[in-house]
Amino acid sequence: MTNTENSSPSFHVYEVAKELARAVRILIERIARFDRSLADQMRRAMSSVILNVREGNRRAGRDRLHLFRIAAGSADEIVGALDVAEVMGYLAARDLADRVLAMLYRLVHPRR
């Protein structure tokens, strides 16, 4: 891995997305006891965030933005699932999900 990759904003969001995955993993395990469907949906959404950020980091132009948009949509899906989890009393990962969303927004809508 080069220094350029380590310092790129998309690589940073990749690291934060992995941090989010670690945080929601425990939630997913708890939720699976009560709602396997929600837990599976959260797993798939989390995988989508990480995989699309990573793939987008290697793409250029519209491909790159498209993959970051997909990652943002999946991150927002996790926020929705966390809202359901909040009703169940679990709050741990919401701030990280919001952080990933904010970072992806900046990647899709760069300052000029």
Side-chain angles (χ1 to χ4, degrees):
M1 195 168 327
T2 67
N3 288 338
T4 305
E5 287 175 342
N6 285 332
S7 62
S8 74
S10 54
F11 189 79
H12 186 98
V13 72
Y14 181 74
E15 292 303 319
V16 176
K18 289 190 324 185
E19 186 179 345
L20 173 63
R22 288 181 196 100
V24 298
R25 186 193 65 193
I26 294 166
L27 272 175
I28 290 170
E29 291 169 0
R30 288 179 187 165
I31 291 168
R33 295 180 201 153
F34 303 101
D35 188 338
R36 287 189 178 277
S37 177
L38 179 62
D40 182 57
Q41 192 166 347
M42 288 179 75
R43 275 187 205 97
R44 286 183 282 114
M46 193 66 251
S47 293
S48 175
V49 172
I50 291 173
L51 294 173
N52 282 293
V53 166
R54 188 67 185 205
E55 185 175 355
N57 193 45
R58 291 288 184 182
R59 298 290 183 108
R62 290 182 186 173
D63 280 352
R64 181 179 180 94
L65 293 179
H66 176 70
L67 290 164
F68 290 156
R69 285 184 188 111
I70 292 170
S74 295
D76 207 26
E77 183 177 358
I78 292 167
V79 171
L82 290 172
D83 286 342
V84 172
E86 182 178 355
V87 171
M88 298 166 61
Y90 305 113
L91 302 173
R94 176 64 189 259
D95 289 342
L96 281 172
D98 287 340
R99 184 173 170 199
V100 169
L101 278 170
M103 293 170 79
L104 286 166
Y105 179 85
R106 287 190 299 272
L107 288 171
V108 172
H109 305 286
R111 295 181 191 142
R112 295 180 190 241

